[in-house]
């Protein structure tokens, strides 16, 4: 783990060697704020922490591919839109630099959390890309138009899905309309048309969702879980791209070759 506090025009970086003896775990390094800083100075998993934390945080989770952050501008645009809507303190001016330092030159997942104008950035490895088994959760979906740290319902739905032997869950609202996954947007093919739950249901305006809607015409619908039976389904987010659903509620999900085409086109060159 690496923690970094911005001080003036420099960054003071502390590298924590997690496997080392306690007497050797903390070593300070001085580095320029961002430009010209080599990613080789940073550990594989990093955390940048600045300031104190308030109760509510905003989250952006993004993908670094070979050190590039293809959707960074979209994540930050959504972050700033949430800041304005929720009237919370904005991120520091050097947020882009901090994210790029954390990403380094590897293929990583980068998670940004903003609280009271201060940011914490961490990274982790990218999960293996495989079709997933999904169940319909009994956890009720509440409107989630902003990606905040108030994600308890998603956490419960995910934990219950894992206990049932599934990889993830779809949530439905009080009217029994399918909304979204615990960290995904849902799509399905219907008579040649690609469909997705309507944003007016209170789902997160996902970065991955918007990318799919750029690539192909999409129809927003209100559907109940039973209406998805026999459909070809997939999930998408800005970290893993397009991931096919192999089973829904234990039943096999048919594959559609157009899903693979969208997956191949998801990431920009």
């Amino acid at each position: 783990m690496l923690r970094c506090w911005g001080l003036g025009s420099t960054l003071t970086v502390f590298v924590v060697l997690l496997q080392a003896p306690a007497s050797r775990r903390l070593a300070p390094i001085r580095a320029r704020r961002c430009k010209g800083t080599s990613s080789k100075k940073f550990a594989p998993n990093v955390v940048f922490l600045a300031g104190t934390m308030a109760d509510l945080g905003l989250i952006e989770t993004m993908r670094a591919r070979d050190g590039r952050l293809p959707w960074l501008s979209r994540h930050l645009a959504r972050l700033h839109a949430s800041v304005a809507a929720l009237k919370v303190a904005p991120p520091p001016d050097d947020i882009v630099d901090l994210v790029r330092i954390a990403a380094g030159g590897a293929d990583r997942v980068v998670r940004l959390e903003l609280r009271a104008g201060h940011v914490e950035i961490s990274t982790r490895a990218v999960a293996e890309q495989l079709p997933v088994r999904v169940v319909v959760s009994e956890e009720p979906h509440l409107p989630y138009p902003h990606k905040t740290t108030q994600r308890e319902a998603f956490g419960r739905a995910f934990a219950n899905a894992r206990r049932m032997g599934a990889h993830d869950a779809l949530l439905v609202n009080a009217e029994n309309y399918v909304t979204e996954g615990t960290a995904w947007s849902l799509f399905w093919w219907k008579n040649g048309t690609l469909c997705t739950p309507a944003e007016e249901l209170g789902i997160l305006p996902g970065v991955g969702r918007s990318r799919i809607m750029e690539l192909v015409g999409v129809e927003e619908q209100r559907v109940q879980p039973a209406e998805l039976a026999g459909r070809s389904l997939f999930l998408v987010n800005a970290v893993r791209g397009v991931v096919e659903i192999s089973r829904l509620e234990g039943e096999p999900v048919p594959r559609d070759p157009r899903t693979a085409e969208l997956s191949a086109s998801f990431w920009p060159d």
Side-chain angles (χ1 to χ4, degrees):
M1 181 182 294
L2 179 151
R3 292 180 179 248
C4 173
W5 287 264
L7 298 175
S9 61
T10 64
L11 294 175
T12 301
V13 180
F14 295 93
V15 179
V16 182
L17 306 177
L18 298 179
Q19 303 302 321
S23 61
R24 298 172 50 205
R25 285 182 184 168
L26 193 60
I29 300 173
R30 295 292 290 182
R32 298 298 298 173
R33 174 169 290 273
C34 180
K35 296 181 180 179
T37 303
S38 170
S39 61
K40 294 181 180 180
K41 293 182 180 180
F42 299 96
N45 291 289
V46 297
V47 175
F48 289 92
L49 177 63
T52 60
M53 298 297 174
D55 291 334
L56 178 69
L58 292 173
I59 308 168
E60 290 296 331
T61 309
M62 60 200 82
R63 178 74 171 270
R65 290 165 54 88
D66 297 325
R68 297 173 56 207
L69 293 152
W71 309 130
L72 177 58
S73 62
R74 302 187 188 205
H75 284 286
L76 294 183
R78 182 172 66 180
L79 180 70
H80 284 287
S82 294
V83 164
L86 299 176
K87 295 179 171 52
V88 298
D93 293 338
D94 60 353
I95 183 63
V96 172
D97 289 346
L98 294 177
V99 172
R100 293 192 183 281
I101 291 174
D107 190 6
R108 306 289 292 170
V109 179
V110 181
R111 182 183 185 277
L112 179 157
E113 184 172 324
L114 171 69
R115 290 178 184 265
H118 306 286
V119 296
E120 179 179 331
I121 304 173
S122 60
T123 76
R124 65 178 187 269
V126 179
E128 188 177 6
Q129 191 89 339
L130 293 172
V132 294
R133 301 184 301 275
V134 175
V135 294
V136 177
S137 178
E138 295 182 359
E139 185 70 35
H141 180 270
L142 301 176
Y144 190 68
H146 303 285
K147 194 166 184 179
T148 74
T149 52
Q150 295 179 343
R151 295 183 48 82
E152 293 81 5
F154 294 117
R156 289 190 295 268
F158 179 79
N160 289 333
R162 298 307 294 263
R163 281 193 289 269
M164 296 171 65
H167 296 102
D168 215 316
L170 295 178
L171 282 76
V172 300
N173 66 10
E175 298 175 292
N176 200 36
Y177 289 125
V178 176
T179 55
E180 56 191 324
T182 65
W184 310 81
S185 298
L186 172 69
F187 288 85
W188 64 93
W189 295 99
K190 179 182 177 182
N191 301 328
T193 300
L194 187 61
C195 305
T196 193
E199 189 172 332
E200 64 189 23
L201 292 170
I203 65 174
L204 182 73
V207 171
R209 181 180 187 271
S210 67
R211 172 59 172 170
I212 294 297
M213 297 176 84
E214 286 179 352
L215 295 173
V216 63
V218 176
E219 185 175 305
E220 295 188 271
Q221 294 188 348
R222 292 170 174 253
V223 299
Q224 298 186 349
E227 299 176 67
L228 297 178
R231 303 292 183 193
S232 182
L233 312 161
F234 66 88
L235 299 169
V236 64
N237 65 25
V239 169
R240 293 177 63 189
V242 174
V243 176
E244 292 181 289
I245 296 178
S246 62
R247 287 182 176 270
L248 177 63
E249 292 285 89
E251 296 298 321
V253 171
R255 303 186 70 178
D256 190 301
R258 291 169 295 185
T259 299
E261 294 173 4
L262 284 174
S263 180
S265 303
F266 182 82
W267 301 105
D269 296 332

